């Protein structure tokens, strides 16, 4: 599955009769992650600290359980602080692919990357989204079906994730697209760009439970030790994603946990 996608990433849409055209846009757009404003969460934290100090001075032990509950609720907000990320490309079902060229230029100027190479890498990422979306349509029997059909509506609901599955669906979709992009950059000798994919902002790793691009790390680590195993894992993840976002997300967590365990190995540290 992975070899097919990588070898035919440019020609696959045309061969499958899919819309291969994409649009360019000069606008700068940001995608927001997280739910809570940083300033408001900091203010609430200071208030909790002041309340704790007051209770300690008053020796009001009875109020401590309630304060503990408030602290637990505040801690959850701390894990979902808002931050924004510049959008380089986007795939929208029914609308196709858009590349944000000014964002790509800005990114390349900041890091000294080749514009054409980075542009192509973004296009690879979005084309994998296109192929993945078409695979979901085909699985639900909605490929070529009318938009009013029950099959098409069911496929659309699944693609965007059912309520609580939406964040997990985003992780799975971005993991599949970003890993293919990472491999293409390696094959083309663009190692600096490929390495940047693994340098996820610290706030994303620590604050956002379902930060979509964090999922690619496990596959990249697996590829470093066994490219064949990475191909099998990618294929398995692709197939799981057609039936259950939850199962696919769980598989990504396993891959990332394995990477973390390997990095923490005493043998590797020695």
């Amino acid at each position: 599955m992975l070899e097919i996608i990588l070898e035919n990433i440019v020609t696959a849409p045309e061969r499958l009769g899919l819309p291969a055209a994409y649009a360019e846009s000069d606008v700068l757009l940001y995608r927001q992650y997280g739910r809570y404003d940083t300033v408001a969460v900091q203010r609430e934290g200071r208030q909790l600290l002041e309340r704790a100090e007051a209770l300690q001075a008053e020796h009001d032990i009875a109020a401590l359980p309630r304060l503990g509950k408030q602290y637990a609720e505040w801690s959850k907000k701390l894990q979902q602080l808002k931050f924004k990320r510049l959008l380089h490309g986007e795939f929208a079902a029914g609308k196709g692919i858009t590349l944000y060229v000014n964002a790509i230029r800005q990114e390349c100027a900041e890091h000294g990357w080749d514009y054409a190479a980075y542009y192509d890498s973004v296009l690879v990422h979005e084309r994998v989204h296109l192929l993945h979306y078409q695979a979901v349509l085909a699985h639900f029997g909605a490929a070529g079906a009318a938009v009013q059909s029950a099959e098409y509506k069911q496929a659309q609901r699944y693609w965007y994730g059912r309520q609580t599955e939406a964040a997990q669906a985003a992780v799975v979709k971005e993991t599949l697209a970003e890993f293919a992009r990472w491999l293409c950059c390696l094959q083309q000798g663009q190692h600096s760009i490929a390495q940047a994919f693994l340098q996820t902002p610290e706030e994303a790793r620590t604050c956002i439970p379902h930060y979509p691009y964090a999922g690619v790390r496990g596959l990249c680590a697996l590829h470093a030790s066994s490219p064949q195993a990475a191909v099998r894992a990618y294929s398995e993840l692709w197939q799981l994603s057609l039936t259950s976002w939850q199962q696919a997300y769980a598989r990504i967590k396993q891959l990332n946990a394995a990477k973390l365990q390997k990095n923490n190995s005493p043998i590797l540290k020695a």
Side-chain angles (χ1 to χ4, degrees):
M1 175 64 70
L2 183 56
E3 288 104 334
I4 294 175
I5 293 176
L6 292 179
E7 291 173 4
N8 302 288
I9 200 69
V10 175
T11 60
E14 291 88 340
R15 289 188 298 99
L16 296 174
L18 306 178
Y22 54 92
E24 293 184 347
S25 174
D26 293 330
V27 302
L28 290 176
L29 295 178
Y30 290 84
R31 180 164 290 164
Q32 181 173 286
Y33 300 93
R35 297 175 56 192
Y36 298 101
D37 180 71
T38 303
V39 175
V41 173
Q42 289 176 335
R43 185 190 309 118
E44 185 177 347
R46 287 194 297 269
Q47 292 172 348
L48 284 173
L49 181 60
E50 293 171 359
R51 180 61 176 155
E53 293 174 345
L55 292 176
Q56 184 178 11
E58 299 168 2
H59 301 285
D60 189 356
I61 301 177
L64 289 179
R66 181 180 178 185
L67 181 65
K69 182 179 180 181
Q70 292 174 337
Y71 176 80
E73 293 174 350
W74 176 78
S75 297
K76 293 179 181 179
K77 294 180 181 179
L78 190 64
Q79 295 177 359
Q80 298 185 60
L81 294 176
K82 289 180 180 178
F83 74 96
K84 295 189 296 184
R85 189 174 188 270
L86 192 61
L87 204 60
H88 299 146
E90 188 174 26
F91 167 75
K95 297 181 180 179
I97 295 171
T98 302
L99 300 183
Y100 298 101
V101 292
N102 280 344
I104 295 175
R105 290 191 183 99
Q106 181 173 315
E107 193 77 23
C108 292
E110 181 177 346
H111 297 94
W113 293 332
D114 179 75
Y115 173 80
Y118 194 81
Y119 182 102
D120 288 343
S121 77
V122 175
L123 182 57
V124 165
H125 179 106
E126 302 307 332
R127 285 203 166 195
V128 173
H129 282 320
L130 171 62
L131 294 172
H132 191 198
Y133 173 67
Q134 291 296 326
V136 168
L137 289 182
H139 177 79
F140 283 89
V147 295
Q148 298 86 0
S149 67
E151 293 81 3
Y152 183 85
K153 292 179 180 179
Q154 185 181 12
Q156 287 289 101
R157 286 194 297 269
Y158 179 80
W159 173 253
Y160 289 106
R162 303 182 184 92
Q163 298 176 351
T164 56
E165 294 183 11
Q168 296 178 357
V171 173
V172 175
K173 287 186 282 190
E174 297 304 337
T175 296
L176 289 168
E178 197 74 343
F179 183 61
R181 179 188 180 197
W182 180 79
L183 281 180
C184 284
C185 285
L186 286 186
Q187 290 180 349
Q188 296 171 6
Q190 300 294 335
H191 297 281
S192 60
I193 296 178
Q195 182 62 25
F197 299 165
L198 306 181
Q199 297 172 351
T200 309
E202 186 66 26
E203 63 267 29
R205 293 200 301 269
T206 58
C207 299
I208 311 300
H210 298 293
Y211 182 68
Y213 299 96
V216 75
R217 293 170 176 269
L219 279 171
C220 291
L222 182 60
H223 182 272
S225 59
S226 173
Q228 295 79 10
V231 169
R232 291 193 297 270
Y234 188 94
S235 179
E236 177 189 6
L237 184 59
W238 184 283
Q239 294 302 322
L240 285 174
S241 72
L242 303 182
T243 56
S244 172
W245 295 122
Q246 291 181 334
Q247 290 183 27
Y249 179 75
R251 182 71 180 105
I252 290 174
K253 289 182 66 176
Q254 290 176 353
L255 291 169
N256 285 349
K259 172 185 179 295
L260 183 62
Q261 183 178 11
K262 182 178 180 180
N263 288 345
N264 292 334
S265 170
I267 297 177
L268 293 177
K269 289 182 178 180

